[in-house]
Amino acid sequence: MKTQQIAELKIMKDEITRFMMKYKFALDEMETKIDILKEEFQTLHDYCPIEHTKSRLKTPESILKKVYRKGIDLSLESIEEHIKDIAGLRITCSFLSDIYNVSNMLQNQNDLKVLEVKDYVKNPKPNGYQSLHLILEVPVFLSDRVEHVCVEVQIRTIAMDFWASLEHKIFYKYNQSVPEKLLRELKIAADTANALDHQMERLQREVQMIKKSHPEEPILDELKSIQISNHQFKLPSGILDVLTKD
Ligand code: 0O2
């Protein structure tokens, strides 16, 4: 290989690295946002709407496949403009209502710009796929500039996630031409998952109502200190005296 070709290859590699890195940083920021929400909920509300999260960067190979499938230009500018799920974050919730709670919390963060919302929960795909998709633009602060980077956030329940991961595996196993019988069974499974989600939502509401009508008495000792992550802080007795004075 000629020296000039090697130099050009190196420039190209650096450009692609820089391109992919900004998506990785955008995902890091989103993950921090989710960690903060999780910790806040766990600490203050004794309940967390987020079960778990998984993030992934699309591989260059998979980006290339999408470029050909969509028939777009093979340039970084065109890829950035047309492929919005290079950075993907999947948030799994326990209950249907949590999907919208989490979505609202993210949409209300004013450093995030909502570019698109696709609600496959209210309008499932014909195969039964359900999920709430948000395309968000995240500011990434680099050493010499701010990049506004797209992240696709998929929010779904555990049941929806279970279904989607199995369907995804089947789709790939059959190289995208799944037998009719399996497709029908998958649709039935999606309906069953949906019925389970609604039943769990009803049960959760009942439990909440019971909790509200019979609130737990706090243990006095627990009120004398605060716990934030691994840090425990004792409240000064002076504060407690003032607060408990009637
Ligand atoms: P992967 O491997 O998860 O990344 P797009 O092709 O994204 O420009 P589209 O189809 O309008 O356009 O996007 P949509 O509907 O928002 O879907 C994007 C992603 O949602 C997919 O990414 C999947 O992750 C998920 N998804 C959508 N439909 C289905 C489905 O029927 N079954 C399953 N299991 N997942 C689905 P990728 O790039 O296809 O795949």
Side-chain angles (χ1 to χ4, degrees):
M1 207 183 253
K2 290 193 190 116
T3 328
Q4 197 193 338
Q5 280 175 319
I6 293 177
E8 279 170 11
L9 213 61
K10 165 96 176 59
I11 291 172
M12 198 175 81
K13 188 188 154 197
D14 285 352
E15 268 183 32
I16 297 175
T17 306
R18 198 170 297 129
F19 180 80
M20 293 298 288
M21 215 158 61
K22 67 182 180 190
Y23 288 98
K24 190 255 176 203
F25 293 150
L27 270 183
D28 289 346
E29 283 189 26
M30 288 304 298
E31 283 183 74
T32 303
K33 283 178 178 295
I34 299 298
D35 284 346
I36 289 173
L37 290 178
K38 275 170 82 172
E39 195 169 332
E40 185 199 343
F41 266 94
Q42 251 140 16
T43 310
L44 292 177
H45 305 287
D46 213 11
Y47 159 77
C48 184
I50 299 164
E51 280 290 327
H52 49 260
T53 55
K54 194 176 165 194
S55 64
R56 69 107 184 84
L57 266 187
K58 232 178 174 53
T59 61
E61 191 192 352
S62 161
I63 295 174
L64 207 61
K65 274 191 194 156
K66 208 158 184 170
V67 166
Y68 292 131
R69 183 158 61 80
K70 286 181 161 248
I72 58 175
D73 274 358
L74 185 53
S75 69
L76 293 181
E77 293 74 33
S78 160
I79 291 174
E80 182 167 355
E81 189 186 337
H82 295 102
I83 303 186
K84 304 290 187 192
D85 67 340
I86 294 174
L89 177 69
R90 190 167 290 156
I91 303 173
T92 312
C93 304
S94 300
F95 302 103
L96 274 169
S97 52
D98 290 337
I99 294 180
Y100 294 99
N101 289 337
V102 172
S103 164
N104 288 339
M105 284 177 227
L106 291 177
Q107 293 197 46
N108 287 333
Q109 300 204 356
N110 55 19
D111 56 337
L112 298 177
K113 187 169 166 194
V114 184
L115 297 185
E116 201 179 338
V117 179
K118 284 192 203 168
D119 193 343
Y120 297 123
V121 177
K122 290 212 169 79
N123 306 298
K125 286 198 165 181
N127 61 357
Y129 177 77
Q130 282 195 293
S131 232
L132 181 67
H133 292 189
L134 310 177
I135 305 286
L136 302 175
E137 201 177 67
V138 184
V140 173
F141 293 84
L142 298 168
S143 57
D144 56 349
R145 64 192 186 283
V146 182
E147 292 266 6
H148 297 274
V149 184
C150 277
V151 175
E152 185 194 63
V153 181
Q154 299 181 348
I155 315 176
R156 48 172 77 153
T157 61
I158 299 169
M160 292 171 191
D161 192 50
F162 188 26
W163 182 93
S165 50
L166 179 66
E167 194 260 5
H168 194 263
K169 273 183 212 146
I170 293 177
F171 213 63
Y172 275 90
K173 185 170 165 54
Y174 285 92
N175 204 13
Q176 316 204 348
S177 53
V178 186
E180 267 304 313
K181 184 178 170 296
L182 259 183
L183 289 177
R184 273 198 304 275
E185 285 194 50
L186 272 170
K187 178 67 178 67
I188 294 169
D191 293 342
T192 310
N194 187 243
L196 176 65
D197 272 337
H198 279 94
Q199 192 173 6
M200 297 302 266
E201 182 74 28
R202 283 193 296 273
L203 278 171
Q204 152 82 345
R205 278 206 196 126
E206 277 178 38
V207 172
Q208 290 303 328
M209 292 212 320
I210 294 168
K211 270 191 174 171
K212 262 190 197 154
S213 56
H214 298 89
E216 265 177 40
E217 279 292 316
I219 301 163
L220 199 59
D221 270 353
E222 281 177 8
L223 299 177
K224 291 181 178 168
S225 65
I226 53 175
Q227 179 95 26
I228 299 173
S229 280
N230 299 327
H231 307 281
Q232 194 176 35
F233 305 95
K234 264 185 178 290
L235 290 174
S237 53
I239 290 189
L240 290 172
D241 292 345
V242 172
L243 292 177
T244 50
K245 211 164 69 179
D246 49 4

